[in-house]
Amino acid sequence: MTYNPFQKFSWKLAHGRSLELGPRGVLMAIVNVTPDSFSDGGRFIDAVAAVAQGMRCLEEGALILDIGGESTRPDAAPVSAEEEQARILPVIAALARDTDALISVDTYRASTAQLAVDAGAHIVNDVHGLQREPDIATVAAKSGAGICVMHTGRGREKLADVIADQFHFLDRSLEIAAAAGVERDRIILDPGFGFAKDTDENLELMARFAELHRFELPFLVGTSRKRFVGAVSGREAADRDMATAATTALLRVAGASIFRVHDVANSKDALAMADAMLHARAR
């Protein structure tokens, strides 16, 4: 039977939570507790401001808040684990205490992931696909956290074909997850738009997105305000939300499940239209 990305998938998460994916798209809001993220660095570096931003995103329709304490842009200055944790743990604890939101921690560090789950996070979102600190998979397995495994081309030689490289990298990540004991219903994948991919590669990845369903797992996508969106739209980072919403609609129709965005309101409308069309097509 051919895999159907719109069928129900119960994504199991930490603290006894779960999230149904498939029939309707889900929005994950970006909350960067950093001074140097590419489009909103410094706006929410204060914990109070970050919590308030998380609350606004929930009101606008996000179901997941993704909290990060280290910028992932290519030229970002690295931070220590201690600094990353000092930035994000108070935010996670406050949001876990004061809301019913699903909370994701954007980190590649096993120690940060463990402390974040202890503070109330439900999901670990690793932009290095478990391959920088493989112990992060053990943290997910032991805590029961959901895990998002992202493809990246950074720091290695990529295969020429964009889809072949997705399987080359993510198959290894899934092997790490399986060896650590992560259950398959706790895993989703991310093709890593913008991570060591030029505009043509990103657009080809969008065009051929359906080929990724051979993994038979749900996909999160993060195109929000990325450089290739700017290359197509001709707009600077802060003005790319409408173009981002277009990618949300296009990738939802192609079978993506979760959409990681800065601007929740515009992508919520785009997602509603895409889901309405998909439901009409299914009737």
Side-chain angles (χ1 to χ4, degrees):
M1 180 182 295
T2 304
Y3 175 75
N4 177 6
F6 307 111
Q7 68 190 359
K8 292 181 180 180
F9 178 96
S10 182
W11 188 23
K12 299 298 191 297
L13 311 174
H15 310 299
R17 300 288 296 274
S18 65
L19 178 63
E20 182 180 280
L21 302 176
R24 293 195 177 277
V26 170
L27 292 171
M28 170 189 276
I30 299 166
V31 182
N32 288 319
V33 195
T34 60
D36 56 348
S37 291
F38 77 95
S39 74
D40 60 358
R43 289 187 62 196
F44 313 118
I45 187 63
D46 174 76
V48 173
V51 170
Q53 172 65 5
M55 296 288 194
R56 281 191 293 270
C57 291
L58 294 175
E59 291 174 0
E60 291 175 353
L63 293 185
I64 307 170
L65 301 176
D66 191 44
I67 316 300
E70 180 173 358
S71 175
T72 58
R73 63 185 175 85
D75 56 346
V79 302
S80 67
E82 292 76 15
E83 177 64 22
E84 178 190 38
Q85 291 157 18
R87 291 174 179 178
I88 66 172
L89 292 178
V91 178
I92 291 171
L95 288 167
R97 181 187 66 238
D98 297 337
T99 78
D100 196 38
L102 293 173
I103 300 170
S104 168
V105 57
D106 180 0
T107 188
Y108 61 84
R109 292 185 175 96
S111 60
T112 301
Q114 182 64 66
L115 290 171
V117 174
D118 291 345
H122 308 90
I123 299 160
V124 174
N125 181 14
D126 182 3
V127 299
H128 289 276
L130 315 182
Q131 296 189 37
R132 182 158 173 176
E133 289 196 15
D135 283 348
I136 200 169
T138 302
V139 171
K142 291 183 176 179
S143 67
I147 192 161
C148 180
V149 179
M150 198 194 81
H151 173 281
T152 182
R154 293 180 183 174
R156 63 182 183 84
E157 185 174 346
K158 299 183 298 181
L159 300 182
D161 183 85
V162 295
I163 300 298
D165 196 66
Q166 291 281 323
F167 281 88
H168 173 72
F169 182 86
L170 290 173
D171 278 344
R172 174 59 186 145
S173 297
L174 290 171
E175 289 173 359
I176 292 170
V182 180
E183 297 166 323
R184 194 168 175 84
D185 61 2
R186 297 187 184 275
I187 300 171
I188 64 170
L189 303 177
D190 179 343
F193 284 102
F195 280 75
K197 301 172 182 68
D198 62 23
T199 296
D200 288 343
E201 289 171 316
N202 283 301
L203 292 173
E204 183 177 359
L205 188 54
M206 284 187 66
R208 298 175 61 190
F209 188 83
E211 295 178 48
L212 298 177
H213 297 317
R214 285 182 288 165
F215 280 109
E216 299 190 352
L217 283 168
F219 267 86
L220 177 152
V221 293
T223 61
S224 188
R225 301 179 181 173
K226 292 284 175 75
R227 189 175 302 172
F228 84 98
V229 176
V232 173
S233 66
R235 296 186 179 276
E236 295 301 315
D239 296 319
R240 295 172 188 166
D241 291 330
M242 291 301 292
T244 295
T247 68
T248 295
L250 290 165
L251 287 165
R252 176 58 184 154
V253 171
S257 294
I258 302 177
F259 302 83
R260 184 179 181 274
V261 298
H262 297 86
D263 176 78
V264 174
N266 280 318
S267 276
K268 181 183 178 183
D269 289 350
L271 195 54
M273 290 302 302
D275 277 336
M277 187 278 288
L278 288 167
H279 284 265
R281 187 170 71 182
R283 286 202 296 267

